Amino acid sequence: MSESLLADASQRLENALKYVKISEDAIERLKYPKASISVSIPVRLDNGSLRIFQGYRVRYDDTRGPTKGGVRYHPNVCMDEVQSLAFWMTFKCAALNLPFGGGKGGITLNPKELSRMELERLSRGYIDAIADFIGPDVDILAPDVYTNAMIMGWMMDQYSILQRKLCPAVVTGKPITIGGSVGRDTATALGAFFVMEAMLPKFDRRPQETTVAVQGFGNAGAMLAELLWQAGYKVVAVSDSKGGIYAPQGLDIPSIRHYKEASRSIQAVYCKDTVCNIVEHTVITNEELLELDVDVLVPAALENQITSANADRIRARYIFEVANGPITSAADRVLEAKGVYVFPDILVNAGGVTVSYFEWVQNRSGLYWTLDEVNQRLKQKMLDAAEPIWAIARDQGMPVRTAAYVYALERLEEAIRTKGTRDYYLNGH
């Protein structure tokens, strides 16, 4: 992971500052994370050997409330990446008007190399190491890349053991039986779908006439692909970490999801048994998927998928970022010059943190909502953010990403100003 990832993420803040006047105090506060911690986690493996894993947690800004953010298990996890993700979460929570700041965490490893028991020891060890750094009113954890409800349950349980009391609100994305919220597992995809359904008609795009490619067939990408398929969009390509498939006439997404779950690989879906007969297809790479001639591109994998090296070859007219940071700031400039509309991660994938907020509220109140209530509240939250952000972009002629940062920045500035700024103290009122 490049050491300049946080600097690249901060470039989005610099772009937004050209369009909005905020106090020097706010700018200074948002340049640096409030607190960061790096920990070593010893884990006894099943074969009896001891292995040390490196873990991180960052609380970027808590002006608007306790920090909130996921924990990812991935070989590329490092402090720079975690700080960047926490930075994005700060603006995402402000854009959606959630009473949170931005946080993030992670452990450097390939989780596929560990057994389930080893993953549990690692997850509980991570909480042992950062317990004094987190809490329901300080910093709330959630699932991210290669973490899930079971892992969140282990983390919540370990924190509760350390506190000598049940603390369900310290972690969101938990199993429903121990305080999780219905709708959390589909929230990121459904939130993105609501944004797409609201934005594409503004360009006179009809589902049946719109082709879509989805890079990343994990939980969010696969669910979004199926939601789009159900709504009548022509999903022509999908991919996972091992590669992808492309069929110009459209793919049968429910069948692909079914076989993917059984085979663990997109390529296996179209290369084994009778599933190969579902539709004619072409096997492609992730890089090739990004450059397909489609109307809508959905990067739903990892960061830095579209860079200055390939941005000029992107042919999609509309990009909806379901992954965090899939496009670099340099690539943004190329795409803008090409007339590509990029709907940013801090809006499009905010469904996950929004329903995590709902879970936190339910944990603290003891009153739990139905799936319909959760989804209706989610839709309202997503539209309440998407419409004004689009209006700013349209009326001021700026990229949608910049409009989203301007919208979030105004909320952050207001909260920082409420606590007192240089202007307040010098002017004496």
Side-chain angles (χ1 to χ4, degrees), residues 97-170:
N97 200 23
L98 306 179
F100 292 138
K104 210 72 177 186
I107 303 174
T108 309
L109 81 152
N110 180 358
K112 297 176 183 178
E113 295 177 351
L114 299 188
S115 71
R116 292 184 179 183
M117 288 188 291
E118 289 168 340
L119 281 173
E120 179 177 3
R121 293 179 207 126
L122 174 68
S123 302
R124 291 181 181 275
Y126 178 65
I127 296 302
D128 287 342
I130 68 167
D132 294 334
F133 197 76
I134 63 174
D137 297 304
V138 180
D139 182 32
I140 302 112
L141 281 57
D144 199 87
V145 176
Y146 291 130
T147 54
N148 56 24
M150 177 66 78
I151 291 172
M152 293 304 106
W154 291 333
M155 290 184 176
M156 185 276 286
D157 183 60
Q158 189 64 23
Y159 184 83
S160 296
I161 290 171
L162 295 174
Q163 299 297 318
R164 300 292 192 267
K165 61 182 178 181
L166 285 175
C167 303
V170 72

Side-chain angles (χ1 to χ4, degrees), residues 202-214:
K202 299 182 186 301
F203 303 93
D204 296 323
R205 299 300 320 181
R206 296 175 178 82
Q208 292 77 11
E209 302 167 0
T210 303
T211 55
V212 183
V214 179

